[in-house]
Amino acid sequence: IYRSAAEQARPSGTLSAQLLERAYRGIAARFDMRHGGFEGAPKFPQTMALDFTLRYWRRTGTAWALDMVTQSFRKMARGGIYDQIGGGFARYAVDAEWLVPHFEKMLYDNALLVRLGVHLWQATRDDETRRVTEETLDWLAREMTAPSGGFYSSLDADSEGHEGKFYVWTNEELTRLLGADSAMAGAYWGASAAGNFEGKNILHVPFDAALVAKRLRVSEEDLHGAVSRARETLATARATRVRPGRDDKILASWNGLMLRAVADAARAFRSERYRTAALRAGEFLARDMVAAGRVSRTHKDGVTRLNGYLEDHAAVALGFTSLYALTFDREWLDRAREVCTVMLERFWDNDRGAFFDTAHDHEALITRPRDVTDNATPSGTSLAVEVLLQFAELLQDAEYRRRAGFVLETLAEPLARYPSAFGHLLGAADLALHGAVEIALVGDPASAEFRELADEVGRHYLPALALAGGRSADSAGIALLEGRAEIAGRAAAYVCRQYTCLTPATDATVLAVQLTDAARPLVPENAP
């Protein structure tokens, strides 16, 4: 993108609806219409490109954009890349059909996929999407959460020297373990005597349940009952196997991504269990991995080490901001802002007009790194730009907005030309161009009427959301709340765009109507 990391950043274009249109068309051109996802094998989830595509649908109403996301998530969820017994997604599939995974499970993949699942459920209310998202969160709680509340990094692909051994089944095993349910469960999961992986079966869902039930001449209810019982039986049997190794490092950036996903799931699904998990993870990060706003990179065996990179600071700041949107506890917003301040002080270079990946006091390197592309995880730059834009909306901070806009303009042409390399940054560009849907919930967060309004907000897919809440007396420093008040002593929701608000709603039904169209782009003043 740059000829040199030391080169001064310069605008390469202007953010516009046409730029985002070019990016969307570039992504759509690579879509695999048969199997979902993008292009051939090996096939990675490319969650960030799907998230941008979902944003594009919400902005434009392009039905095909929603179809691409829905089909891709469903194909992954029904494929071998998804663990049909224990939940959670493997890192990628070696084939184009999502059948044979590289069995390693990474925290960051699942963080991005959980958040996409939450957004897709908000957009569609699809039961399968919610089930798979919740099963992945169950896997997170069961296998990837440390006693401290932080999240471990990954599970290996191998056990006992063989890749996938923990996850696959012979047909004989399935018949013996499942008994009367084996015929229905085996048909649902595509099991056969020959198997599909070295003579064994990777469980997947090759056909719709309705078709399987019709072929077996059973009801869908009976089929789902058999599959549910079989899942429990196989999970119990699998628990006796030698488990894959676990990398129990706790990495700040990956934890920030997962914290954000769990907090968003808690809001959308109204789940106290997820709320508790998010708070425990946030409290661990704040206590053990953040000191005076500076984030450490890694934690293991009770020891925190290494100064964090740009991605660590930005991801943790976004995680804390999501906790604020979940709890409306001002402390989380203050912690996020403190991390943001350190991020700017240590990673922003005024002379070059860009973020660097390492802090200015990092050990000297031949070249100070600056990688702006989104790869397996969002780049530090794209996360940092989103942090600035979030605070620009919540606090009406023009300087944050200016810096974020400048970074985006330096990357405008690459965004349009190479959209698959900038999935997360495209989401930030969408936020910068169209602005957030700004929602101020005013009242006592512990009251039933306030919770009813907050729950209604959580049900809606708003691709760029700035959410603040609390009593008007506690609004100092949060521009979105200032000047807003309860209505006749009742909690009130103010739905705004560019700080121009609709009539405040005190009823969730009225709020739902306001939110339905809230994410559409503003019509320019000079539009015909």
Side-chain angles (χ1 to χ4, degrees), residues 78 178 180-190 204-231:
R78 296 181 181 183
L178 301 182
D181 288 329
S182 63
M184 282 192 279
Y188 179 81
W189 281 319
H204 65 301
V205 184
F207 304 106
D208 285 339
L211 179 59
V212 175
K214 184 177 180 180
R215 286 176 175 175
L216 295 176
R217 297 182 180 179
V218 298
S219 70
E220 285 188 59
E221 183 180 2
D222 286 345
L223 175 63
H224 285 301
V227 169
S228 180
R229 291 189 297 271
R231 186 177 285 114

Side-chain angles (χ1 to χ4, degrees), residues 409-423:
E409 287 185 351
T410 66
L411 296 169
E413 183 57 28
L415 278 173
R417 188 177 298 179
Y418 311 110
S420 297
F422 293 99

Side-chain angles (χ1 to χ4, degrees), residues 168-178 200 234 241:
V168 298
W169 306 86
T170 65
N171 212 44
E172 291 76 14
E173 285 177 307
L174 294 173
T175 301
R176 174 173 53 82
L177 289 167
L178 301 182
K200 297 182 178 180
L234 295 182
R241 296 177 174 179

Side-chain angles (χ1 to χ4, degrees), residues 396-416:
Q396 276 290 70
D397 192 305
E399 178 59 18
Y400 283 178
R401 195 184 306 278
R402 184 195 67 78
R403 292 193 196 193
F406 181 77
V407 173
L408 287 166
E409 287 185 351
T410 66
L411 296 169
E413 183 57 28
L415 278 173

